[in-house]
Amino acid sequence: MSVTRTGSLCGPRQRGMSLLEVLVAIVVLALGLLGLAALQMTSLKGGHGAYLRSQAAQIAYDMSDRLRANRESAPDYAFALPDPRPACDRALAPAGTLPQRDVAEWLNTLACVLPSGNGSVARVAGTDVYDISVRWTEREADEDGGTDGELDLRVQL
């Protein structure tokens, strides 16, 4: 005896997925991947900014060490922000007094390590306190505009 089923209580069986369901799944996946890419770009920009700030701090502390190493000539280290910003010179061999050579080497290091790097050293009048300033451009000007980074360090000799 064989029994044949002509009707089903559950209705017809569905086989496979419809094309519309596949397209919706692809759109959701694409949006998720675009969000992930945007998150990665934001993370890279933040990491690069942190790298530049740490380099600027290291260079500012380098100048403070130069000031401390040559206390008797420390007033000769004071100078304003050069305009235009100095260019990187990998073969720099500065001449002059020790403070002049130190300042030239320091400005060259700023120009070589930081994008559009520049700096200054100012003496607080009548004291042994010096303000060291480091300036740079964090990213090149684009549709959002470039941002300038700055770090100021006050040193007492």
Side-chain angles (χ1 to χ4, degrees), residues 44-98:
L44 286 174
K45 285 181 183 178
H48 185 66
Y51 169 76
L52 291 176
R53 282 188 298 278
S54 70
Q55 291 297 313
Q58 192 172 27
I59 293 170
Y61 281 114
D62 174 53
M63 178 51 82
S64 72
D65 290 341
R66 291 173 191 247
L67 286 167
R68 285 190 181 104
N70 196 5
R71 286 178 197 256
E72 62 277 352
S73 298
D76 296 336
Y77 282 84
F79 67 96
L81 282 171
D83 190 33
R85 294 177 183 219
C88 178
D89 182 6
R90 300 273 182 206
L92 179 72
T97 65
L98 179 60

Side-chain angles (χ1 to χ4, degrees), residues 122-131 154:
R123 182 178 184 191
V124 177
T127 65
D128 281 338
V129 176
Y130 291 84
D131 290 328
R154 181 164 274 197

Side-chain angles (χ1 to χ4, degrees), residues 2 7 14 27-28 35 44 47 52 54 69 87 98 119-120 134 140 143 150 154:
S2 90
Q14 183 178 10
V27 167
V28 168
L44 286 174
L52 291 176
S54 70
L98 179 60
S120 68
V134 176
E140 297 301 319
E143 62 274 357
E150 59 184 62
R154 181 164 274 197

Side-chain angles (χ1 to χ4, degrees), residues 105-127:
E105 288 172 358
W106 188 71
L107 286 172
N108 189 56
T109 301
L110 282 171
C112 291
V113 173
L114 297 173
S116 300
N118 203 353
S120 68
V121 177
R123 182 178 184 191
V124 177
T127 65

Side-chain angles (χ1 to χ4, degrees), residues 7-61:
S8 174
L9 298 174
C10 297
R13 291 185 69 190
Q14 183 178 10
R15 296 181 186 258
M17 298 175 65
S18 71
L19 185 58
L20 183 59
E21 290 171 333
V22 171
L23 290 175
V24 168
I26 289 174
V27 167
V28 168
L29 180 65
L31 288 175
L33 290 176
L34 283 174
L36 187 62
L39 182 65
Q40 181 71 18
M41 284 300 294
T42 303
S43 173
L44 286 174
K45 285 181 183 178
H48 185 66
Y51 169 76
L52 291 176
R53 282 188 298 278
S54 70
Q55 291 297 313
Q58 192 172 27
I59 293 170
Y61 281 114

